[in-house]
Amino acid sequence: MTDWKERLGMVYSTNPDFEYTTSAEPEEATLPADKQPLRVWIDRKHRGGKTVTLVKGFVGTEEDLSTLGRMLKSRCGVGGSAKDGEIIIQGDHRDRVVELLLAAGYSKTKRAGN
């Protein structure tokens, strides 16, 4: 069980049929690609001087986010990650990422930041 932090305040139960339940927040449904308000940023802060491309504004499930992140990483030929509604692509691939997102149907994608 990996949710032990959520059970820290629980009192021990002697009932063998007791099931501890947590109040999990439902994930937000994924918006269609043409409705996603994505912004593509470049960032260097807190990364040891390395440049990364950030895609912010994704609304949807973590699974759909990781699928989109996987597609961008493979098409750019670099590494990165996708979590907390944000996709991180290693290196300065801002223009390439915007092109890929527009070609994939994300029509509200814009280049933002620096």
Side-chain angles (χ1 to χ4, degrees):
M1 255 188 173
T2 60
D3 65 342
W4 62 271
K5 287 185 180 180
E6 295 176 7
R7 300 177 307 175
L8 284 177
M10 189 180 100
V11 177
Y12 180 75
S13 174
T14 57
N15 182 357
D17 298 326
F18 178 76
E19 300 246 351
Y20 183 77
T21 58
T22 59
S23 58
E25 295 177 13
E27 286 193 42
E28 199 168 337
T30 304
L31 289 177
D34 61 339
K35 304 276 190 219
Q36 291 280 0
L38 300 179
R39 299 293 179 259
V40 182
W41 300 78
I42 199 81
D43 189 26
R44 292 178 192 87
K45 296 178 182 170
H46 308 292
R47 302 184 193 282
K50 306 284 184 191
T51 302
V52 296
T53 303
L54 297 175
V55 179
K56 296 181 180 182
F58 185 84
V59 178
T61 63
E62 288 291 322
E63 182 179 324
D64 293 336
L65 177 70
S66 68
T67 303
L68 179 61
R70 197 174 316 117
M71 183 271 295
L72 292 174
K73 291 185 300 185
S74 68
R75 297 270 173 91
C76 291
V78 295
S81 66
K83 58 185 172 186
D84 301 328
E86 185 175 87
I87 300 171
I88 300 171
I89 306 291
Q90 295 174 351
D92 184 357
H93 299 280
R94 200 171 13 181
D95 297 329
R96 178 78 174 131
V97 168
V98 170
E99 287 174 15
L100 291 170
L101 289 171
L102 290 173
Y106 292 89
S107 60
K108 288 191 173 185
T109 301
K110 290 185 182 175
R111 184 178 167 165
N114 304 348

mmCIF file of all heavy atoms in Angstrom, residues 65-114:
data_model
loop_
_atom_site.group_PDB
_atom_site.id
_atom_site.type_symbol
_atom_site.label_atom_id
_atom_site.label_comp_id
_atom_site.label_asym_id
_atom_site.label_seq_id
_atom_site.Cartn_x
_atom_site.Cartn_y
_atom_site.Cartn_z
ATOM 1 N N LEU A 65 -2.113 13.220 -20.481
ATOM 2 C CA LEU A 65 -0.963 14.119 -20.412
ATOM 3 C C LEU A 65 0.321 13.366 -20.726
ATOM 4 O O LEU A 65 1.157 13.837 -21.507
ATOM 5 C CB LEU A 65 -0.873 14.759 -19.023
ATOM 6 C CG LEU A 65 0.320 15.679 -18.788
ATOM 7 C CD1 LEU A 65 0.171 16.959 -19.583
ATOM 8 C CD2 LEU A 65 0.441 15.999 -17.311
ATOM 9 N N SER A 66 0.501 12.186 -20.143
ATOM 10 C CA SER A 66 1.718 11.428 -20.399
ATOM 11 C C SER A 66 1.777 10.937 -21.845
ATOM 12 O O SER A 66 2.852 10.856 -22.435
ATOM 13 C CB SER A 66 1.845 10.263 -19.423
ATOM 14 O OG SER A 66 0.862 9.304 -19.665
ATOM 15 N N THR A 67 0.633 10.636 -22.443
ATOM 16 C CA THR A 67 0.602 10.232 -23.849
ATOM 17 C C THR A 67 1.050 11.380 -24.748
ATOM 18 O O THR A 67 1.862 11.189 -25.668
ATOM 19 C CB THR A 67 -0.819 9.778 -24.254
ATOM 20 O OG1 THR A 67 -1.211 8.715 -23.399
ATOM 21 C CG2 THR A 67 -0.864 9.336 -25.695
ATOM 22 N N LEU A 68 0.546 12.581 -24.481
ATOM 23 C CA LEU A 68 0.961 13.753 -25.255
ATOM 24 C C LEU A 68 2.436 14.039 -25.033
ATOM 25 O O LEU A 68 3.176 14.330 -25.976
ATOM 26 C CB LEU A 68 0.107 14.963 -24.877
ATOM 27 C CG LEU A 68 0.448 16.273 -25.581
ATOM 28 C CD1 LEU A 68 0.270 16.130 -27.091
ATOM 29 C CD2 LEU A 68 -0.411 17.398 -25.035
ATOM 30 N N GLY A 69 2.891 13.948 -23.791
ATOM 31 C CA GLY A 69 4.304 14.169 -23.488
ATOM 32 C C GLY A 69 5.200 13.163 -24.186
ATOM 33 O O GLY A 69 6.263 13.515 -24.715
ATOM 34 N N ARG A 70 4.782 11.919 -24.205
ATOM 35 C CA ARG A 70 5.553 10.866 -24.882
ATOM 36 C C ARG A 70 5.676 11.157 -26.370
ATOM 37 O O ARG A 70 6.737 10.986 -26.973
ATOM 38 C CB ARG A 70 4.880 9.518 -24.642
ATOM 39 C CG ARG A 70 5.741 8.334 -24.926
ATOM 40 C CD ARG A 70 5.092 7.010 -24.537
ATOM 41 N NE ARG A 70 4.433 7.029 -23.238
ATOM 42 C CZ ARG A 70 3.131 6.854 -23.048
ATOM 43 N NH1 ARG A 70 2.334 6.616 -24.065
ATOM 44 N NH2 ARG A 70 2.610 6.887 -21.838
ATOM 45 N N MET A 71 4.573 11.624 -26.981
ATOM 46 C CA MET A 71 4.594 11.950 -28.405
ATOM 47 C C MET A 71 5.567 13.099 -28.679
ATOM 48 O O MET A 71 6.385 13.025 -29.604
ATOM 49 C CB MET A 71 3.186 12.325 -28.878
ATOM 50 C CG MET A 71 3.076 12.614 -30.375
ATOM 51 S SD MET A 71 3.352 14.313 -30.922
ATOM 52 C CE MET A 71 2.007 15.195 -30.191
ATOM 53 N N LEU A 72 5.514 14.146 -27.856
ATOM 54 C CA LEU A 72 6.402 15.298 -28.061
ATOM 55 C C LEU A 72 7.864 14.913 -27.862
ATOM 56 O O LEU A 72 8.733 15.327 -28.634
ATOM 57 C CB LEU A 72 6.015 16.436 -27.117
ATOM 58 C CG LEU A 72 4.671 17.111 -27.392
ATOM 59 C CD1 LEU A 72 4.349 18.118 -26.298
ATOM 60 C CD2 LEU A 72 4.672 17.776 -28.749
ATOM 61 N N LYS A 73 8.145 14.125 -26.830
ATOM 62 C CA LYS A 73 9.524 13.716 -26.567
ATOM 63 C C LYS A 73 10.075 12.870 -27.703
ATOM 64 O O LYS A 73 11.218 13.059 -28.118
ATOM 65 C CB LYS A 73 9.618 12.941 -25.247
ATOM 66 C CG LYS A 73 9.362 13.790 -24.025
ATOM 67 C CD LYS A 73 9.590 13.027 -22.748
ATOM 68 C CE LYS A 73 8.693 11.823 -22.639
ATOM 69 N NZ LYS A 73 8.819 11.125 -21.357
ATOM 70 N N SER A 74 9.286 11.956 -28.224
ATOM 71 C CA SER A 74 9.776 11.090 -29.294
ATOM 72 C C SER A 74 9.969 11.861 -30.597
ATOM 73 O O SER A 74 10.935 11.635 -31.317
ATOM 74 C CB SER A 74 8.838 9.912 -29.508
ATOM 75 O OG SER A 74 7.614 10.346 -30.022
ATOM 76 N N ARG A 75 9.066 12.794 -30.898
ATOM 77 C CA ARG A 75 9.192 13.571 -32.128
ATOM 78 C C ARG A 75 10.353 14.557 -32.075
ATOM 79 O O ARG A 75 10.944 14.872 -33.099
ATOM 80 C CB ARG A 75 7.906 14.335 -32.410
ATOM 81 C CG ARG A 75 6.706 13.459 -32.644
ATOM 82 C CD ARG A 75 6.556 13.116 -34.119
ATOM 83 N NE ARG A 75 5.505 12.143 -34.338
ATOM 84 C CZ ARG A 75 4.244 12.450 -34.591
ATOM 85 N NH1 ARG A 75 3.861 13.699 -34.639
ATOM 86 N NH2 ARG A 75 3.370 11.488 -34.785
ATOM 87 N N CYS A 76 10.677 15.052 -30.866
ATOM 88 C CA CYS A 76 11.824 15.963 -30.724
ATOM 89 C C CYS A 76 13.125 15.190 -30.517
ATOM 90 O O CYS A 76 14.202 15.760 -30.623
ATOM 91 C CB CYS A 76 11.606 16.920 -29.543
ATOM 92 S SG CYS A 76 10.302 18.119 -29.826
ATOM 93 N N GLY A 77 13.022 13.915 -30.178
ATOM 94 C CA GLY A 77 14.212 13.096 -29.982
ATOM 95 C C GLY A 77 14.972 13.409 -28.714
ATOM 96 O O GLY A 77 16.195 13.284 -28.671
ATOM 97 N N VAL A 78 14.251 13.832 -27.675
ATOM 98 C CA VAL A 78 14.883 14.194 -26.397
ATOM 99 C C VAL A 78 14.107 13.567 -25.247
ATOM 100 O O VAL A 78 13.066 12.957 -25.436
ATOM 101 C CB VAL A 78 14.941 15.727 -26.202
ATOM 102 C CG1 VAL A 78 15.836 16.368 -27.237
ATOM 103 C CG2 VAL A 78 13.560 16.333 -26.254
ATOM 104 N N GLY A 79 14.603 13.773 -24.043
ATOM 105 C CA GLY A 79 13.936 13.282 -22.847
ATOM 106 C C GLY A 79 13.051 14.351 -22.241
ATOM 107 O O GLY A 79 12.957 15.462 -22.738
ATOM 108 N N GLY A 80 12.424 13.992 -21.135
ATOM 109 C CA GLY A 80 11.558 14.931 -20.448
ATOM 110 C C GLY A 80 10.609 14.193 -19.533
ATOM 111 O O GLY A 80 10.792 13.005 -19.250
ATOM 112 N N SER A 81 9.597 14.898 -19.056
ATOM 113 C CA SER A 81 8.610 14.282 -18.178
ATOM 114 C C SER A 81 7.274 14.990 -18.342
ATOM 115 O O SER A 81 7.198 16.080 -18.898
ATOM 116 C CB SER A 81 9.069 14.338 -16.716
ATOM 117 O OG SER A 81 9.113 15.678 -16.281
ATOM 118 N N ALA A 82 6.230 14.352 -17.818
ATOM 119 C CA ALA A 82 4.889 14.922 -17.863
ATOM 120 C C ALA A 82 4.227 14.651 -16.524
ATOM 121 O O ALA A 82 3.999 13.493 -16.167
ATOM 122 C CB ALA A 82 4.080 14.309 -18.992
ATOM 123 N N LYS A 83 3.945 15.707 -15.761
ATOM 124 C CA LYS A 83 3.274 15.562 -14.473
ATOM 125 C C LYS A 83 2.682 16.896 -14.055
ATOM 126 O O LYS A 83 3.126 17.952 -14.491
ATOM 127 C CB LYS A 83 4.239 15.050 -13.405
ATOM 128 C CG LYS A 83 5.452 15.930 -13.196
ATOM 129 C CD LYS A 83 6.398 15.301 -12.220
ATOM 130 C CE LYS A 83 7.683 16.117 -12.178
ATOM 131 N NZ LYS A 83 8.699 15.516 -11.387
ATOM 132 N N ASP A 84 1.677 16.829 -13.201
ATOM 133 C CA ASP A 84 1.019 18.015 -12.650
ATOM 134 C C ASP A 84 0.521 18.985 -13.727
ATOM 135 O O ASP A 84 0.633 20.191 -13.584
ATOM 136 C CB ASP A 84 1.959 18.751 -11.690
ATOM 137 C CG ASP A 84 2.414 17.885 -10.542
ATOM 138 O OD1 ASP A 84 1.619 17.014 -10.126
ATOM 139 O OD2 ASP A 84 3.544 18.062 -10.054
ATOM 140 N N GLY A 85 0.003 18.462 -14.816
ATOM 141 C CA GLY A 85 -0.549 19.317 -15.864
ATOM 142 C C GLY A 85 0.499 20.050 -16.674
ATOM 143 O O GLY A 85 0.188 21.031 -17.351
ATOM 144 N N GLU A 86 1.740 19.593 -16.643
ATOM 145 C CA GLU A 86 2.837 20.279 -17.305
ATOM 146 C C GLU A 86 3.737 19.253 -17.991
ATOM 147 O O GLU A 86 4.026 18.206 -17.434
ATOM 148 C CB GLU A 86 3.616 21.055 -16.238
ATOM 149 C CG GLU A 86 4.713 21.920 -16.730
ATOM 150 C CD GLU A 86 5.317 22.705 -15.591
ATOM 151 O OE1 GLU A 86 6.230 22.190 -14.935
ATOM 152 O OE2 GLU A 86 4.871 23.842 -15.365
ATOM 153 N N ILE A 87 4.184 19.565 -19.192
ATOM 154 C CA ILE A 87 5.106 18.694 -19.925
ATOM 155 C C ILE A 87 6.444 19.402 -20.002
ATOM 156 O O ILE A 87 6.511 20.568 -20.387
ATOM 157 C CB ILE A 87 4.576 18.392 -21.342
ATOM 158 C CG1 ILE A 87 3.220 17.696 -21.261
ATOM 159 C CG2 ILE A 87 5.577 17.542 -22.122
ATOM 160 C CD1 ILE A 87 2.528 17.551 -22.591
ATOM 161 N N ILE A 88 7.507 18.697 -19.624
ATOM 162 C CA ILE A 88 8.861 19.245 -19.656
ATOM 163 C C ILE A 88 9.638 18.500 -20.740
ATOM 164 O O ILE A 88 9.752 17.281 -20.700
ATOM 165 C CB ILE A 88 9.559 19.074 -18.297
ATOM 166 C CG1 ILE A 88 8.767 19.793 -17.204
ATOM 167 C CG2 ILE A 88 10.990 19.584 -18.361
ATOM 168 C CD1 ILE A 88 9.248 19.498 -15.808
ATOM 169 N N ILE A 89 10.166 19.259 -21.703
ATOM 170 C CA ILE A 89 10.976 18.706 -22.784
ATOM 171 C C ILE A 89 12.382 19.273 -22.622
ATOM 172 O O ILE A 89 12.545 20.491 -22.527
ATOM 173 C CB ILE A 89 10.421 19.112 -24.176
ATOM 174 C CG1 ILE A 89 8.957 18.740 -24.309
ATOM 175 C CG2 ILE A 89 11.255 18.522 -25.289
ATOM 176 C CD1 ILE A 89 8.683 17.278 -24.367
ATOM 177 N N GLN A 90 13.395 18.421 -22.607
ATOM 178 C CA GLN A 90 14.770 18.882 -22.418
ATOM 179 C C GLN A 90 15.250 19.630 -23.654
ATOM 180 O O GLN A 90 15.111 19.149 -24.767
ATOM 181 C CB GLN A 90 15.691 17.701 -22.134
ATOM 182 C CG GLN A 90 15.371 17.012 -20.835
ATOM 183 C CD GLN A 90 16.184 15.759 -20.635
ATOM 184 O OE1 GLN A 90 16.882 15.302 -21.525
ATOM 185 N NE2 GLN A 90 16.092 15.189 -19.448
ATOM 186 N N GLY A 91 15.820 20.814 -23.430
ATOM 187 C CA GLY A 91 16.365 21.618 -24.517
ATOM 188 C C GLY A 91 15.386 22.675 -24.995
ATOM 189 O O GLY A 91 14.239 22.738 -24.573
ATOM 190 N N ASP A 92 15.875 23.535 -25.892
ATOM 191 C CA ASP A 92 15.049 24.608 -26.452
ATOM 192 C C ASP A 92 14.409 24.112 -27.741
ATOM 193 O O ASP A 92 14.984 24.190 -28.822
ATOM 194 C CB ASP A 92 15.909 25.845 -26.723
ATOM 195 C CG ASP A 92 15.094 27.031 -27.207
ATOM 196 O OD1 ASP A 92 13.879 26.885 -27.395
ATOM 197 O OD2 ASP A 92 15.685 28.114 -27.394
ATOM 198 N N HIS A 93 13.198 23.591 -27.631
ATOM 199 C CA HIS A 93 12.458 23.058 -28.773
ATOM 200 C C HIS A 93 11.116 23.762 -28.901
ATOM 201 O O HIS A 93 10.135 23.163 -29.349
ATOM 202 C CB HIS A 93 12.234 21.543 -28.621
ATOM 203 C CG HIS A 93 13.489 20.764 -28.556
ATOM 204 N ND1 HIS A 93 14.210 20.427 -29.671
ATOM 205 C CD2 HIS A 93 14.188 20.276 -27.501
ATOM 206 C CE1 HIS A 93 15.279 19.749 -29.318
ATOM 207 N NE2 HIS A 93 15.290 19.647 -27.998
ATOM 208 N N ARG A 94 11.075 25.020 -28.514
ATOM 209 C CA ARG A 94 9.820 25.762 -28.474
ATOM 210 C C ARG A 94 9.110 25.787 -29.825
ATOM 211 O O ARG A 94 7.925 25.461 -29.908
ATOM 212 C CB ARG A 94 10.123 27.182 -28.005
ATOM 213 C CG ARG A 94 8.984 27.922 -27.462
ATOM 214 C CD ARG A 94 9.389 29.213 -26.832
ATOM 215 N NE ARG A 94 10.766 29.594 -27.145
ATOM 216 C CZ ARG A 94 11.359 30.676 -26.692
ATOM 217 N NH1 ARG A 94 10.702 31.479 -25.912
ATOM 218 N NH2 ARG A 94 12.591 30.959 -27.006
ATOM 219 N N ASP A 95 9.818 26.166 -30.887
ATOM 220 C CA ASP A 95 9.186 26.265 -32.207
ATOM 221 C C ASP A 95 8.724 24.900 -32.711
ATOM 222 O O ASP A 95 7.625 24.759 -33.257
ATOM 223 C CB ASP A 95 10.151 26.892 -33.212
ATOM 224 C CG ASP A 95 10.513 28.323 -32.838
ATOM 225 O OD1 ASP A 95 9.659 29.001 -32.227
ATOM 226 O OD2 ASP A 95 11.638 28.754 -33.145
ATOM 227 N N ARG A 96 9.545 23.887 -32.520
ATOM 228 C CA ARG A 96 9.212 22.524 -32.965
ATOM 229 C C ARG A 96 7.980 21.992 -32.220
ATOM 230 O O ARG A 96 7.098 21.388 -32.814
ATOM 231 C CB ARG A 96 10.413 21.614 -32.737
ATOM 232 C CG ARG A 96 10.175 20.182 -33.108
ATOM 233 C CD ARG A 96 10.250 19.972 -34.595
ATOM 234 N NE ARG A 96 10.147 18.548 -34.888
ATOM 235 C CZ ARG A 96 9.329 18.042 -35.780
ATOM 236 N NH1 ARG A 96 8.571 18.826 -36.504
ATOM 237 N NH2 ARG A 96 9.276 16.755 -35.988
ATOM 238 N N VAL A 97 7.924 22.246 -30.892
ATOM 239 C CA VAL A 97 6.792 21.775 -30.083
ATOM 240 C C VAL A 97 5.502 22.467 -30.514
ATOM 241 O O VAL A 97 4.448 21.822 -30.622
ATOM 242 C CB VAL A 97 7.080 21.983 -28.576
ATOM 243 C CG1 VAL A 97 5.828 21.795 -27.746
ATOM 244 C CG2 VAL A 97 8.171 21.039 -28.112
ATOM 245 N N VAL A 98 5.564 23.762 -30.794
ATOM 246 C CA VAL A 98 4.373 24.488 -31.253
ATOM 247 C C VAL A 98 3.893 23.904 -32.582
ATOM 248 O O VAL A 98 2.699 23.672 -32.774
ATOM 249 C CB VAL A 98 4.657 26.006 -31.377
ATOM 250 C CG1 VAL A 98 3.522 26.716 -32.083
ATOM 251 C CG2 VAL A 98 4.878 26.612 -30.005
ATOM 252 N N GLU A 99 4.827 23.635 -33.506
ATOM 253 C CA GLU A 99 4.461 23.036 -34.794
ATOM 254 C C GLU A 99 3.795 21.670 -34.599
ATOM 255 O O GLU A 99 2.787 21.365 -35.237
ATOM 256 C CB GLU A 99 5.701 22.837 -35.664
ATOM 257 C CG GLU A 99 6.288 24.095 -36.236
ATOM 258 C CD GLU A 99 7.603 23.815 -36.960
ATOM 259 O OE1 GLU A 99 7.897 22.626 -37.243
ATOM 260 O OE2 GLU A 99 8.325 24.774 -37.225
ATOM 261 N N LEU A 100 4.380 20.844 -33.735
ATOM 262 C CA LEU A 100 3.841 19.502 -33.499
ATOM 263 C C LEU A 100 2.448 19.555 -32.884
ATOM 264 O O LEU A 100 1.564 18.787 -33.269
ATOM 265 C CB LEU A 100 4.780 18.706 -32.589
ATOM 266 C CG LEU A 100 6.117 18.304 -33.197
ATOM 267 C CD1 LEU A 100 7.035 17.744 -32.123
ATOM 268 C CD2 LEU A 100 5.908 17.293 -34.306
ATOM 269 N N LEU A 101 2.248 20.457 -31.924
ATOM 270 C CA LEU A 101 0.942 20.575 -31.281
ATOM 271 C C LEU A 101 -0.119 21.077 -32.257
ATOM 272 O O LEU A 101 -1.251 20.580 -32.262
ATOM 273 C CB LEU A 101 1.038 21.479 -30.052
ATOM 274 C CG LEU A 101 1.793 20.897 -28.865
ATOM 275 C CD1 LEU A 101 2.011 21.963 -27.798
ATOM 276 C CD2 LEU A 101 1.056 19.704 -28.282
ATOM 277 N N LEU A 102 0.243 22.058 -33.082
ATOM 278 C CA LEU A 102 -0.712 22.557 -34.075
ATOM 279 C C LEU A 102 -1.058 21.472 -35.082
ATOM 280 O O LEU A 102 -2.219 21.328 -35.483
ATOM 281 C CB LEU A 102 -0.150 23.794 -34.777
ATOM 282 C CG LEU A 102 -0.062 25.057 -33.916
ATOM 283 C CD1 LEU A 102 0.662 26.158 -34.679
ATOM 284 C CD2 LEU A 102 -1.431 25.520 -33.475
ATOM 285 N N ALA A 103 -0.071 20.680 -35.491
ATOM 286 C CA ALA A 103 -0.322 19.592 -36.444
ATOM 287 C C ALA A 103 -1.171 18.497 -35.820
ATOM 288 O O ALA A 103 -1.916 17.800 -36.525
ATOM 289 C CB ALA A 103 1.003 19.016 -36.920
ATOM 290 N N ALA A 104 -1.090 18.330 -34.492
ATOM 291 C CA ALA A 104 -1.868 17.302 -33.803
ATOM 292 C C ALA A 104 -3.289 17.767 -33.476
ATOM 293 O O ALA A 104 -4.049 17.036 -32.855
ATOM 294 C CB ALA A 104 -1.152 16.882 -32.525
ATOM 295 N N GLY A 105 -3.636 18.998 -33.859
ATOM 296 C CA GLY A 105 -4.999 19.471 -33.661
ATOM 297 C C GLY A 105 -5.189 20.390 -32.462
ATOM 298 O O GLY A 105 -6.309 20.773 -32.157
ATOM 299 N N TYR A 106 -4.122 20.745 -31.767
ATOM 300 C CA TYR A 106 -4.218 21.654 -30.619
ATOM 301 C C TYR A 106 -4.150 23.091 -31.147
ATOM 302 O O TYR A 106 -3.126 23.752 -31.076
ATOM 303 C CB TYR A 106 -3.088 21.368 -29.621
ATOM 304 C CG TYR A 106 -3.228 20.028 -28.945
ATOM 305 C CD1 TYR A 106 -2.688 18.877 -29.489
ATOM 306 C CD2 TYR A 106 -3.931 19.914 -27.749
ATOM 307 C CE1 TYR A 106 -2.828 17.643 -28.874
ATOM 308 C CE2 TYR A 106 -4.085 18.682 -27.126
ATOM 309 C CZ TYR A 106 -3.529 17.560 -27.700
ATOM 310 O OH TYR A 106 -3.685 16.344 -27.085
ATOM 311 N N SER A 107 -5.277 23.571 -31.666
ATOM 312 C CA SER A 107 -5.314 24.844 -32.377
ATOM 313 C C SER A 107 -5.160 26.068 -31.476
ATOM 314 O O SER A 107 -4.850 27.150 -31.965
ATOM 315 C CB SER A 107 -6.600 24.958 -33.181
ATOM 316 O OG SER A 107 -7.722 24.893 -32.318
ATOM 317 N N LYS A 108 -5.367 25.924 -30.178
ATOM 318 C CA LYS A 108 -5.229 27.069 -29.273
ATOM 319 C C LYS A 108 -3.829 27.156 -28.662
ATOM 320 O O LYS A 108 -3.623 27.835 -27.686
ATOM 321 C CB LYS A 108 -6.267 26.971 -28.147
ATOM 322 C CG LYS A 108 -7.666 27.250 -28.619
ATOM 323 C CD LYS A 108 -8.596 27.402 -27.440
ATOM 324 C CE LYS A 108 -9.957 27.853 -27.902
ATOM 325 N NZ LYS A 108 -10.830 28.121 -26.781
ATOM 326 N N THR A 109 -2.864 26.476 -29.254
ATOM 327 C CA THR A 109 -1.487 26.493 -28.762
ATOM 328 C C THR A 109 -0.821 27.798 -29.147
ATOM 329 O O THR A 109 -0.928 28.249 -30.295
ATOM 330 C CB THR A 109 -0.691 25.321 -29.357
ATOM 331 O OG1 THR A 109 -1.334 24.116 -28.978
ATOM 332 C CG2 THR A 109 0.730 25.320 -28.868
ATOM 333 N N LYS A 110 -0.127 28.403 -28.179
ATOM 334 C CA LYS A 110 0.591 29.643 -28.447
ATOM 335 C C LYS A 110 1.977 29.591 -27.823
ATOM 336 O O LYS A 110 2.182 28.950 -26.801
ATOM 337 C CB LYS A 110 -0.160 30.843 -27.855
ATOM 338 C CG LYS A 110 -1.437 31.158 -28.553
ATOM 339 C CD LYS A 110 -2.049 32.417 -27.998
ATOM 340 C CE LYS A 110 -3.376 32.701 -28.696
ATOM 341 N NZ LYS A 110 -4.044 33.846 -28.098
ATOM 342 N N ARG A 111 2.888 30.283 -28.450
ATOM 343 C CA ARG A 111 4.231 30.440 -27.908
ATOM 344 C C ARG A 111 4.162 31.557 -26.881
ATOM 345 O O ARG A 111 3.677 32.643 -27.169
ATOM 346 C CB ARG A 111 5.176 30.790 -29.037
ATOM 347 C CG ARG A 111 6.581 30.889 -28.609
ATOM 348 C CD ARG A 111 7.463 31.193 -29.794
ATOM 349 N NE ARG A 111 8.755 31.588 -29.299
ATOM 350 C CZ ARG A 111 9.822 31.653 -30.019
ATOM 351 N NH1 ARG A 111 9.789 31.361 -31.295
ATOM 352 N NH2 ARG A 111 10.964 32.020 -29.488
ATOM 353 N N ALA A 112 4.654 31.303 -25.684
ATOM 354 C CA ALA A 112 4.583 32.289 -24.608
ATOM 355 C C ALA A 112 5.953 32.496 -24.003
ATOM 356 O O ALA A 112 6.892 31.745 -24.267
ATOM 357 C CB ALA A 112 3.595 31.826 -23.537
ATOM 358 N N GLY A 113 6.064 33.490 -23.146
ATOM 359 C CA GLY A 113 7.321 33.687 -22.421
ATOM 360 C C GLY A 113 8.373 34.368 -23.252
ATOM 361 O O GLY A 113 8.106 35.118 -24.166
ATOM 362 N N ASN A 114 9.626 34.046 -22.924
ATOM 363 C CA ASN A 114 10.790 34.714 -23.511
ATOM 364 C C ASN A 114 10.862 34.540 -25.002
ATOM 365 O O ASN A 114 11.047 33.631 -25.611
ATOM 366 C CB ASN A 114 12.067 34.186 -22.868
ATOM 367 C CG ASN A 114 12.009 34.370 -21.369
ATOM 368 O OD1 ASN A 114 11.147 35.065 -20.858
ATOM 369 N ND2 ASN A 114 12.901 33.756 -20.669
#
